[in-house]
């Protein structure tokens, strides 16, 4: 019988962490984080890392594993996650993965082509251009430099857009040319559960979470990170808006409003990405509902 990885995904603030930790305790197993920001040890509040007691109770891979000065790609995550799941499967037949970074989960499930290293100077230039000129500038530069990505890529996702632009400028080739359509076959079962809430409730959860982050000291954390604002890891909702406030561009009240607004937009983009995957099974973020569904799937898989 094959080992099984249960993936818990969905939009930000939907309750993925709580469900994943409950499942890890239920199956006495460990968790692989599939979040492109929680791996950075310098980032905490804005990236909604699990609470310290949870990290102490359940071992997590790919949390606090890297520095913000490190460049981590989806191909890197694929390699790291596969090594982690091999370790887990030595001790347990079930592993849990949780996160909302769709490209990372896709890389883990299907494989990811290696993309050549990007010149750090080009990366800094692209980030600088976006920070100073906005997403309209990014669209224009991609249309001019990489028409293939412009017509087929994610043109509402600044992170993906910056990545596409820096790859094209640095290598001379579209990022599309490095993305094969061949899916790798894994030697373990994968059950993917997407958590969802009615849109109005999800947005309320987003707003409440942002208020909580501010109470926890997000402004102070952002002050400490301001000298590193040009790094790719800091192109993150929550920090970016507060950097503008700390530099006197906007008021604190406006910065908090923008964090809520941009987080809601991010949640919408995540849902758009995940809803394209027919293999994701959508459930409410209720541990009893999730366990009931898993019982049925395990029976089907004869686990």
């Amino acid at each position: 019988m094959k080992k099984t990885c249960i993936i818990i995904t969905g939009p930000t603030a939907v309750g993925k962490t709580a469900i994943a930790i409950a499942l890890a305790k239920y199956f006495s197993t460990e968790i692989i984080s599939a979040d492109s920001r929680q791996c950075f040890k310098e980032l905490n509040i804005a990236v909604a890392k699990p609470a310290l007691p949870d990290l102490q109770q359940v071992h997590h891979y790919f949390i606090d594993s890297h520095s913000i000065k490190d460049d981590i790609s989806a191909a890197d995550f694929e390699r790291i996650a596969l090594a982690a799941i091999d370790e887990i499967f030595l001790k347990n037949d079930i592993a849990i993965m949780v996160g909302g970074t769709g490209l990372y989960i896709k890389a883990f499930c299907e494989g990811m082509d290696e993309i050549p290293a990007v010149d750090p100077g080009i990366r800094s230039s692209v980030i600088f251009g976006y920070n100073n000129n906005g997403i309209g500038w990014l669209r224009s530069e991609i249309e001019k430099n990489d028409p293939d990505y412009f017509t087929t890529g994610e043109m509402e996702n600044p992170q993906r857009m910056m990545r596409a632009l820096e790859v094209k400028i640095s290598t001379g080739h579209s990022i599309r040319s490095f993305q094969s359509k061949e899916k790798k076959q894994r030697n373990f079962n994968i059950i993917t559960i997407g958590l969802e809430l009615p849109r109005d409730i999800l947005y309320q959860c987003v707003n409440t979470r942002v208020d909580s982050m501010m109470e926890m000291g997000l402004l102070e954390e952002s002050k400490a990170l301001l000298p590193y604002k040009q790094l790719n890891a800091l192109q993150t909702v929550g920090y970016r808006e507060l950097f503008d406030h700390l530099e006197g561009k906007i008021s604190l009240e406006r910065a908090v409003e923008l964090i809520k607004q941009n987080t809601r937009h991010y949640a919408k983009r995540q849902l758009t990405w995940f809803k394209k995957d027919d293999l994701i099974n959508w459930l409410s973020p209720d541990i009893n509902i999730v366990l009931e569904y898993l019982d049925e799937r395990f029976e089907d898989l004869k686990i």
Side-chain angles (χ1 to χ4, degrees), residues 69-71 116-128 163 166-167 169-171 230-232:
K69 297 179 182 179
D70 298 327
D71 287 323
V118 169
D119 184 301
I122 291 175
R123 169 166 292 152
S124 296
S125 176
V126 169
I127 292 173
F128 179 84
R163 177 63 172 155
E166 69 184 19
V167 168
I169 296 173
S170 191
T171 69
Q230 79 284 357
L231 296 178
N232 188 54

Side-chain angles (χ1 to χ4, degrees), residues 6-7 37 54 59 83 85 87 113 132 140 151 159 184 219 264 275-277 299-301:
I6 302 167
I7 300 177
R37 292 297 184 261
D54 291 326
H59 179 66
I85 207 164
E87 285 190 25
D113 295 325
N132 286 273
S140 176
T151 56
Q159 297 303 317
K184 296 178 183 176
L219 180 60
R264 293 194 298 268
K275 288 290 185 176
K276 294 177 183 177
D277 189 342
E299 187 173 338
D300 292 341
L301 294 169

Side-chain angles (χ1 to χ4, degrees), residues 63-78:
I63 285 186
D64 290 339
S65 55
H66 293 77
S67 166
I68 53 175
K69 297 179 182 179
D70 298 327
D71 287 323
I72 308 297
S73 67
D76 292 326
F77 176 77
E78 178 192 4

Side-chain angles (χ1 to χ4, degrees), residues 264-279:
R264 293 194 298 268
H265 290 168
Y266 177 56
K268 186 177 180 180
R269 291 198 302 271
Q270 287 176 300
L271 282 167
T272 299
W273 171 285
F274 290 124
K275 288 290 185 176
K276 294 177 183 177
D277 189 342
D278 293 335
L279 297 179

Side-chain angles (χ1 to χ4, degrees), residues 186-197:
R186 303 306 187 196
N187 63 348
F188 48 86
N189 294 314
I190 297 176
I191 299 173
T192 307
I193 296 172
L195 302 179
E196 63 178 345
L197 289 167

